[in-house]
Amino acid sequence: MQNDMTPTPFMEGRATADAAQALRDELLYHRATQTYLWALPLINTLGMQRGSEQTFGKGYNTLPVWKKRLDARTLVTTPNSDVIYAMSYVDLGKDGPLVFEAPPMLQGILLDFWQRPIPVDGGKYAGDVGFFGPDQGKGGKFLLLPPGYTGEVPKGCFVYRSGTNNVFVFLRAFYADAGNLQPPVDLIEKAKIYPLQGEARPMTFPDASGVPVDMLPISDATAFDQLKQLVDAEGPHLADPDWMGMLAGLGIVKGEPFEPDGRTRGILDRAAKTAYQMSRVMAFDEVVSGRSSRMSPDRRWVNPMADATTENPSGKLDLSWRRVDRGGALDVNCRPWFFSNYYSVSPGMLSQVPGKGAFYVIVFTDSDGVALTGGTNYKLNLPKDVPAANFWSVTLYEAANASGLANGQPFPSIGSRDKPVRNADGSTDLYLGPKAPQGQEANWLATVPGKGYFAILRLYGPTEPALTRTWKPGDITKMS
């Protein structure tokens, strides 16, 4: 960690040679730190891409699928262990326009590398594929076009115009029975990605389950190497001229060598590590840019869109993390708050239609506001009639990096499909701690002494009591 600058000696109105070098180093360090925080959505995506492609292969026809669910061996921010995932990364600049062909019932999001939902021609949809997309769950052909594309568009396709050449394809399929995961896997493996023109390579679907892979945001100097590769692939449409200038101030310019010397690389490395740590501090704030994220004043549970309404499902933010109440100014705190712990967002995920979409709330502390710790025993009460038309789940995540908590259980989650025991009044008590209370094994999630963590409650198909906040989960309480 860089120390605060002390006053530097000037002689005759000029810095000494040593002072000048120290100030130049400090300038580079601050520029790099702020650039990292600004670019965190990109760095989040690049981390997933790098880890995936190094482990499972690359190319538009390679679609890794977590065929036996996603466990703690996959290091990625806040994954959901209770659906089947598939994730891929395609380059429209390299391969030209691509067609993504989806079968009926497949759910997904098509995002640019800033993780902005890609707008669909017609203006009604963005990003979503499936029930909340233009196909309405019927499947179809989704045409991905690069920035500035002016060529012909074939009939019969839903047209997605990306803001970046690189596109993140994120797919999910739901299972009815945890003992039979083949139907959702088969559904995903009906998907195809191929060029609009030219011969298509056959699809491959590597099984990513149980494979150790690091897909976390990059937190060292190689983050800037990855940004350089992205700038080369994207050019000026990646960002506005001011921020392209900031990247250039670090030596990152399209088509020019990026070869920092040892001193410069050391500064970039410290900056990336510091900025990532800063994002980890921001990630646990309950009040961000003056907005409380708490779902209710009497609960510790939070959501970045806690001020959502039916008319405005993302509240005071748009899905590029710009404040609609501040003339579209970027929320420079909320965006890194989100992308340090999470990834991907779309209109469908934020749906305020009862019985559709999903409802997420996150908790970092117990009822007294003390951070959750792995050596302590806690209880979480979910009142009766949990308002989820499909299912609910609670998942635990590492405080250090937001990946699934490696707690020795098959998955760091428990939910309605696990059939936890209910109380006489219909509510459900869940127990979090290093050891299950006697007789409560079916309702227990293991924690690890010495490891901090946080939890996410997900309701799939949230009904009206969730959306109106008339149903609220209890806070996590410390047990004596």
Side-chain angles (χ1 to χ4, degrees):
M1 182 82 63
Q2 192 88 339
N3 294 324
D4 290 337
M5 286 291 293
T6 55
T8 53
F10 275 56
M11 296 182 64
E12 295 186 356
R14 298 182 181 88
T16 64
D18 288 346
Q21 186 61 56
L23 287 166
R24 290 189 184 100
D25 290 350
E26 190 74 4
L27 175 60
L28 175 63
Y29 174 79
H30 285 293
R31 279 181 174 166
T33 302
Q34 292 303 314
T35 299
Y36 181 103
L37 290 168
W38 162 79
L40 193 52
L42 299 174
I43 292 167
N44 180 301
T45 316
L46 289 164
M48 290 190 288
Q49 180 188 31
R50 182 173 74 170
S52 177
E53 292 184 347
Q54 287 178 349
T55 306
F56 306 116
K58 62 189 298 185
Y60 65 77
N61 61 317
T62 301
L63 181 59
V65 183
W66 279 260
K67 301 181 184 183
K68 294 179 282 293
R69 300 166 62 185
L70 194 154
D71 65 22
R73 283 171 286 191
T74 299
L75 302 182
V76 68
T77 53
T78 53
N80 185 350
S81 300
D82 298 293
V83 298
I84 300 300
Y85 270 14
M87 294 186 278
S88 183
Y89 316 86
V90 301
D91 185 350
L92 307 176
K94 175 184 175 184
D95 295 310
L98 292 171
V99 178
F100 167 58
E101 197 170 312
M105 305 298 291
L106 184 63
Q107 306 303 303
I109 312 174
L110 303 175
L111 304 123
D112 69 17
F113 255 42
W114 285 102
Q115 296 192 42
R116 299 172 298 201
I118 298 175
V120 183
D121 278 7
K124 186 177 180 181
Y125 300 97
D128 289 306
V129 169
F131 295 127
F132 292 98
D135 62 308
Q136 297 289 285
K138 298 176 183 177
K141 294 181 179 181
F142 304 81
L143 178 61
L144 288 164
L145 297 178
Y149 181 82
T150 58
E152 292 186 11
V153 174
K155 294 181 179 179
C157 292
F158 303 110
V159 180
Y160 290 64
R161 297 182 186 271
S162 178
T164 58
N165 287 323
N166 286 270
V167 169
F168 173 33
V169 179
F170 178 32
L171 307 178
R172 290 169 293 178
F174 297 86
Y175 58 83
D177 177 5
N180 181 18
L181 301 177
Q182 198 59 45
V185 172
D186 289 344
L187 181 66
I188 288 177
E189 291 187 349
K190 291 178 182 176
K192 299 176 184 177
I193 303 175
Y194 52 87
L196 178 62
Q197 298 178 337
E199 186 176 351
R201 297 192 293 269
M203 293 293 295
T204 63
F205 301 94
D207 186 356
S209 290
V211 179
V213 55
D214 184 351
M215 299 170 61
L216 292 168
I218 305 162
S219 57
D220 59 23
T222 60
F224 299 103
D225 297 306
Q226 295 290 308
L227 287 172
K228 172 62 167 74
Q229 293 179 25
L230 192 62
V231 166
D232 284 344
E234 298 291 346
H237 59 254
L238 182 65
D240 64 38
D242 288 351
W243 276 103
M244 294 301 286
M246 282 288 280
L247 289 166
L250 303 180
I252 297 174
V253 179
K254 179 179 172 64
E256 296 185 11
F258 178 61
E259 299 170 348
D261 60 23
R263 181 190 190 95
T264 300
R265 181 162 290 276
I267 294 169
L268 295 176
D269 194 64
R270 290 198 304 274
K273 287 178 166 64
T274 300
Y276 181 71
Q277 290 176 333
M278 289 173 174
S279 81
R280 301 306 305 148
V281 171
M282 299 166 79
F284 296 111
D285 287 340
E286 293 181 349
V287 177
V288 184
S289 294
R291 294 170 57 248
S292 173
S293 297
R294 287 167 69 166
M295 69 174 293
S296 174
D298 61 347
R299 292 292 189 276
R300 308 302 311 205
W301 296 88
V302 303
N303 182 291
M305 279 79 172
D307 52 2
T309 64
T310 302
E311 296 75 23
N312 192 0
S314 59
K316 291 184 173 65
L317 293 163
D318 69 15
L319 296 190
S320 296
W321 303 95
R322 299 184 181 278
R323 288 285 290 268
V324 298
D325 62 333
R326 293 181 178 174
L330 176 66
D331 193 322
V332 297
N333 296 314
C334 198
R335 191 166 75 173
W337 181 98
F338 184 88
F339 286 101
S340 186
N341 268 351
Y342 320 100
Y343 68 90
S344 83
V345 66
S346 76
M349 291 176 68
L350 304 177
S351 171
Q352 297 286 302
V353 178
K356 306 291 184 181
F359 176 86
Y360 307 89
V361 283
I362 308 127
V363 68
F364 306 127
T365 70
D366 65 16
S367 56
D368 295 321
V370 178
L372 300 172
T373 179
T376 303
N377 294 305
Y378 302 97
K379 183 169 74 172
L380 166 62
N381 178 262
L382 301 179
K384 70 175 183 176
D385 301 326
V386 178
N390 297 327
F391 67 92
W392 61 263
S393 68
V394 173
T395 309
L396 306 184
Y397 299 98
E398 304 258 3
N401 56 28
S403 64
L405 182 67
N407 64 356
Q409 293 177 311
F411 304 98
S413 67
I414 190 169
S416 53
R417 294 178 299 183
D418 299 308
K419 297 180 171 51
V421 178
R422 295 183 185 177
N423 301 322
D425 64 359
S427 68
T428 303
D429 287 330
L430 301 180
Y431 297 89
L432 317 177
K435 187 175 181 181
Q438 187 172 359
Q440 301 294 345
E441 288 78 8
N443 291 41
W444 171 60
L445 272 174
T447 62
V448 182
K451 279 192 175 183
Y453 65 94
F454 63 99
I456 297 181
L457 169 64
R458 293 177 171 91
L459 309 182
Y460 279 93
T463 56
E464 193 157 337
L467 301 175
T468 60
R469 311 293 199 270
T470 55
W471 182 95
K472 293 179 282 191
D475 278 332
I476 292 177
T477 58
K478 187 176 179 179
M479 297 174 65
S480 58

